[in-house]
Amino acid sequence: MTFREALNRGKLYLMECGIEEYELDAWLLFEHVTGINKAMYYVKDREELPEDQERKYQEMLHRRGEHIPLQHLTGVQEFMGYSFRVNGNVLIPRQDTEILVEDADAFCHVMEGQGRNIRILDLCTGSGCILLSLMKMDSHGSRSGIGSDLSEEALRIARENQKILEVSKEKAAFIKSDLFEEITGRFDMIVSNPPYIRTKEIEKLQEEVRLHDPFQALDGKEDGLYFYQRITERASDFLNDEGRLIFEIGYDQGEAVSAMMKDAGFDSVYVKKDLAGLDRVVGGVYNRAREN
């Protein structure tokens, strides 16, 4: 079987399996197995595909046809221009979350312009993609932070990503904690992409998400707001003066989370939309002077 025949059969197979982006997924799996890019493919497309690569490709196609996420098969997801290791123990980093990182990075630049060192807390860190991206984007050498998660399996992946991305332990530490339970000290910024799907809505999600993302990373309890409430209620105890709290939210949660933050004493609360025009980030500032 030639390179071209194998790829075309892969596209057809995934299409028949109901994979939405069957052409792209067939190519990405093909690229992962063979190690060739598209330029090399057009040179080699009529050559015979080595038998071991053909077997491996067929195996991965079969697993993708069972709606196992592409990223679980390749073990990698691109996020903020960096490659993150992922598996079934962490939520796959999504492009929507890049809005949160870009927002947090912009605020970091403001503080860095004031000559400040910045300490960041990332709650529900999962793969570590938010905290590690913010550390990699640190052009001033002024950032450090902690990522916490209740899942030891997720923390293992976060620490693996830390090594891959060469972020020192001095800049980022990952600890097991139920939100603030094991956290000490104060921070200039708290960021979080917590579980926010309503429990009853999880069964309606795509098979790739419903069956293969960790339930614990999806389940926001009955109304989807459980973790926002818990974090917002205690965030002020862990923020420095004019510290910022920034959440990723579901598309219909902007109003509720904004009200929650205002009730907890946060000022300048805002909602930011994603590229699809949907509410995606809520943030605010805590002014400690209001406590007096």
Side-chain angles (χ1 to χ4, degrees):
M1 184 182 300
T2 66
F3 280 76
R4 178 180 292 272
E5 289 170 340
L7 180 58
N8 287 339
R9 290 186 186 186
K11 293 176 183 178
L12 179 61
Y13 177 77
L14 293 185
M15 181 181 70
E16 291 173 344
C17 290
I19 302 301
E20 187 174 341
E21 296 187 325
Y22 62 90
E23 289 189 338
L24 177 61
D25 286 10
W27 166 255
L28 290 174
L29 289 175
F30 191 76
E31 185 180 45
H32 178 74
V33 169
T34 63
I36 68 171
N37 57 32
K38 288 193 175 181
M40 291 174 60
Y41 168 75
Y42 288 113
V43 173
K44 299 169 66 73
D45 64 335
R46 299 189 184 279
E47 295 181 13
E48 289 293 311
L49 182 66
E51 289 186 8
D52 61 330
Q53 292 185 5
E54 181 182 341
R55 283 194 300 271
K56 182 66 173 177
Y57 187 49
Q58 294 300 322
E59 175 190 333
M60 293 196 118
L61 286 169
H62 178 73
R63 296 180 69 196
R64 183 68 187 102
E66 294 177 335
H67 291 263
I68 295 173
L70 175 76
Q71 296 88 341
H72 289 178
L73 300 177
T74 63
V76 175
Q77 171 66 15
E78 293 294 315
F79 182 81
M80 296 302 299
Y82 308 109
S83 294
F84 284 86
R85 174 92 171 85
V86 295
N87 63 18
N89 295 312
V90 296
L91 196 68
I92 296 169
R94 289 166 169 80
Q95 187 177 18
D96 290 337
T97 307
E98 294 188 352
I99 306 294
L100 184 155
V101 174
E102 290 166 355
D103 200 44
D105 182 57
F107 287 124
C108 283
H109 283 301
V110 171
M111 288 185 275
E112 287 161 349
Q114 300 167 351
R116 293 169 58 180
N117 290 323
I118 304 158
R119 194 162 183 245
I120 301 169
L121 174 62
D122 176 19
L123 297 173
C124 309
T125 193
S127 66
C129 65
I130 294 173
L131 181 64
L132 293 173
S133 293
L134 289 170
M135 294 302 112
K136 292 294 289 184
M137 297 163 75
D138 177 14
S139 58
H140 293 77
S142 61
R143 304 177 191 177
S144 62
I146 292 174
S148 76
D149 204 288
L150 194 56
S151 166
E152 190 60 61
E153 291 80 10
L155 291 168
R156 192 172 296 116
I157 294 298
R159 293 183 186 114
E160 189 173 329
N161 282 322
Q162 181 176 21
K163 291 180 181 178
I164 292 169
L165 294 177
E166 299 181 333
V167 175
S168 71
K169 292 182 179 179
E170 288 73 30
K171 287 190 70 67
F174 292 98
I175 65 173
K176 184 175 182 179
S177 179
D178 182 2
L179 300 182
F180 295 106
E181 189 174 286
E182 303 298 326
I183 304 300
T184 58
R186 284 185 173 168
F187 300 82
D188 301 287
M189 184 181 296
I190 297 173
V191 294
S192 184
N193 177 19
Y196 59 72
I197 308 297
R198 296 172 181 85
T199 304
K200 67 180 181 180
E201 296 295 321
I202 293 176
E203 62 186 28
K204 302 175 185 177
L205 298 175
Q206 278 187 318
E207 198 172 323
E208 285 86 342
V209 177
R210 173 169 47 87
L211 298 181
H212 300 286
D213 272 339
F215 184 84
Q216 181 176 286
L218 298 172
D219 184 22
K221 311 300 181 184
E222 184 177 358
D223 62 0
L225 300 172
Y226 174 79
F227 290 98
Y228 298 114
Q229 188 69 56
R230 286 187 62 193
I231 293 170
T232 302
E233 285 175 348
R234 295 202 62 199
S236 61
D237 295 334
F238 295 87
L239 283 171
N240 289 322
D241 189 30
E242 297 187 356
R244 297 182 181 271
L245 173 61
I246 308 176
F247 286 120
E248 177 174 336
I249 58 167
Y251 72 94
D252 59 350
Q253 295 172 325
E255 185 175 339
V257 177
S258 294
M260 199 181 293
M261 290 180 65
K262 290 174 184 176
D263 288 345
F266 283 86
D267 296 323
S268 305
V269 175
Y270 63 91
V271 178
K272 182 165 285 190
K273 297 184 182 296
D274 60 22
L275 296 176
L278 302 174
D279 291 351
R280 185 57 57 190
V281 167
V282 173
V285 180
Y286 195 81
N287 186 342
R288 305 203 71 82
R290 290 183 56 171
E291 297 177 359
N292 301 322

